[in-house]
Amino acid sequence: MLTKRIIPCLDVKDNRVVKGVNFLNLRDAGDPVELGGRYSDEGADELVFLDITATIRSNKTIIELVEKVAANVFIPFTVGGGITEPGQIGELLRSGADKCSINTAAVMNPQILAESSKRYGNQCVVLAIDARRTKGVKNKWHVTVRAGSEPTDIDAVDWAKRAEELGAGEILLTSMDADGTKAGFDIELTRAVADAVDIPVIASGGAGSLESCYDVLADGNASAVLAASIFHYEEYTVKDVKDYLAGRGVAMRPVV
Amino acid sequence: MIVVIDYGVGNVKSVTNAVKYIGCETKVSCDPADIESADGLILPGVGACGYAMEKLGGLADVICDVAKGGKPLLGICLGFQILFDESFEHGTFKCLGLVEGKVVPIPAGRTIPHMGWNYVKFPERMDLFAGLGDGKHFAFAHSYYAEVTDGDAVVAYTDYGMDIAASVQKGNIFGCQFHPEKSGVDGLDVLRNFEKYCKGATC
């Protein structure tokens, strides 16, 4: 049986892991090479590295940092932030990434999803969606771009379906309303997207309690949960989360 | 020396990171001379089959010749799928034909790609899993799977609402649908077992 995945996320700025609330007020959370190696050793199922300054397109130091992180990571490794063309995915795969996540560039030019999946396979093309609840409308979310700073009028569920048709192999779905608040995932958003597509959905934004991780997997139909703060600040280890979820009957890869 | 075959397709760096980590002497190459002199070969690959076979070009014959001559060969993910006769991924493509079988889409009705860690049940006589014990999970990421029809091949399966071939061994020819280089400590043990097999083999 396929297990549900627990995925620590490294939001990286100026070669450091940082974490904010609702994408703002960033504070330092450690060294990406050290944290990546630690999570890999501690039984995380995947690792995500997001260059939140979106400088992958121009910055060799990010590529070098990806190489350094990857050297200690023996679990699937997703890299994203500032990817604007399929060739950059090739470069990141050569640097030790296994999957690449695309966000703003896919909204601006959806064909990047088709071109990338044709060249590298859809299993390595992750569409990242930063979604925000649309005020005044129940259970409706719109896509935001440029690290959440620009709203669009695109419906998040429609965009997920379109991205699947174009060739995305997975969706990394972040609730901007919940991100960094530790108040729990947006279950309705996650379920609306997960039920609309056949590709896996990674729920992100709001991980705080162990119960919230269970809820988004069991009720939100997510394939995986992504979390940052709770791991970086050592509130829970990956093992704590997995033991709790396994205890409640969720299929987990055991931590040795 | 284990040669990781670089034909411009896939996560060569992930594979070499893992092979170096286990302390194995390795070289990334697409030079037929290196392939012929290696103790063992790893054929990685991500992406689509047709593109991979095109990129492999004339190396396909070199790989088939040395594998049939007894050199240990480990195909990973797409590199596993192209060990078979043919693939139906976006068309029909002739593959290496080292193991009898064909590669077809995972049937709808479940989340696709098959992405993440799944439990692999392996027969005890498979060299790649020697000493691992039961209850091991490995990392998968694929939308097509191999229907193995080769009577000389031993197959390990994983359950995804149907049996999916997770690993195959036919003499000196090995394949893993999962990524051993990305399957934590157990995956590294699979690579160690392959290295051990290579050291014992006479090429």
Side-chain angles (χ1 to χ4, degrees), chain A residues 136-156:
Chain A
V137 192
K138 194 172 184 291
N139 287 351
K140 190 169 168 54
W141 301 265
H142 59 269
V143 174
T144 68
V145 295
R146 302 196 199 287
S149 64
E150 279 181 31
T152 71
D153 56 4
I154 301 167
D155 179 82

Side-chain angles (χ1 to χ4, degrees), chain A residues 71-85:
Chain A
N72 295 310
V73 170
F74 301 108
I75 54 176
F77 181 38
T78 300
V79 178
I83 292 170
T84 55
E85 53 182 81

Side-chain angles (χ1 to χ4, degrees), chain B residues 45 93 153 163:
Chain B
F93 298 97
D163 277 343

Side-chain angles (χ1 to χ4, degrees), chain A residues 1-3 5 45 70-71 73-77 94-96 98-99 119-123 169-170 198-200 253-254, chain B residues 11 13-14 17-18 21 46-47 51 111-119 137 139 141 143 159-160 181-184:
Chain A
M1 187 183 198
L2 188 67
T3 58
R5 288 170 279 156
D45 296 312
V73 170
F74 301 108
I75 54 176
F77 181 38
R94 278 191 298 278
S95 307
D98 301 294
K99 304 191 241 183
R119 208 184 291 183
Y120 305 107
N122 72 342
Q123 81 296 323
E170 192 165 41
D198 289 326
I199 55 180
R253 173 176 72 109
Chain B
N11 59 344
K13 187 81 176 185
S14 286
N17 277 343
Y21 183 82
V46 296
Y51 183 66
T111 302
I112 296 171
H114 176 219
M115 177 87 76
W117 297 71
N118 207 334
Y119 168 75
H137 291 73
S143 305
D159 175 16
Y160 195 45
E181 78 282 11
K182 287 284 157 176
S183 294

Side-chain angles (χ1 to χ4, degrees), chain A residues 35-226:
Chain A
L35 279 174
R38 193 180 96 201
Y39 295 139
S40 174
D41 290 347
E42 286 180 353
D45 296 312
E46 287 189 22
L47 186 72
V48 169
F49 176 114
L50 294 178
D51 167 25
I52 62 167
T53 54
T55 50
I56 278 174
R57 64 183 173 276
S58 59
N59 198 336
K60 281 270 174 275
T61 62
I62 287 292
I63 297 283
E64 285 166 15
L65 186 55
V66 165
E67 279 185 6
K68 280 185 200 157
V69 175
N72 295 310
V73 170
F74 301 108
I75 54 176
F77 181 38
T78 300
V79 178
I83 292 170
T84 55
E85 53 182 81
Q88 291 160 336
I89 295 178
E91 188 171 3
L92 288 164
L93 293 178
R94 278 191 298 278
S95 307
D98 301 294
K99 304 191 241 183
C100 289
S101 89
I102 310 175
N103 189 334
T104 304
V107 173
M108 301 302 159
N109 169 28
Q111 284 308 317
I112 189 176
L113 297 173
E115 288 162 25
S116 305
S117 65
K118 196 174 164 198
R119 208 184 291 183
Y120 305 107
N122 72 342
Q123 81 296 323
C124 79
V125 179
V126 181
L127 174 73
I129 301 177
D130 293 332
R132 194 185 270 281
R133 278 187 180 263
T134 307
K135 284 200 175 67
V137 192
K138 194 172 184 291
N139 287 351
K140 190 169 168 54
W141 301 265
H142 59 269
V143 174
T144 68
V145 295
R146 302 196 199 287
S149 64
E150 279 181 31
T152 71
D153 56 4
I154 301 167
D155 179 82
V157 177
D158 291 345
W159 175 224
K161 282 154 75 171
R162 169 107 174 93
E164 177 182 30
E165 284 166 16
L166 285 164
E170 192 165 41
I171 289 173
L172 168 53
L173 179 64
T174 301
S175 160
M176 282 206 53
D177 305 292
D179 186 75
T181 65
K182 296 199 271 185
F185 293 90
D186 187 333
I187 309 286
E188 286 88 10
L189 166 66
T190 309
R191 187 169 54 225
V193 172
D195 289 354
V197 297
D198 289 326
I199 55 180
V201 172
I202 302 167
S204 158
S209 65
L210 298 174
E211 289 82 356
S212 69
C213 295
Y214 175 82
D215 291 343
V216 82
L217 292 170
D219 299 332
N221 299 338
S223 293
V225 292
L226 179 141

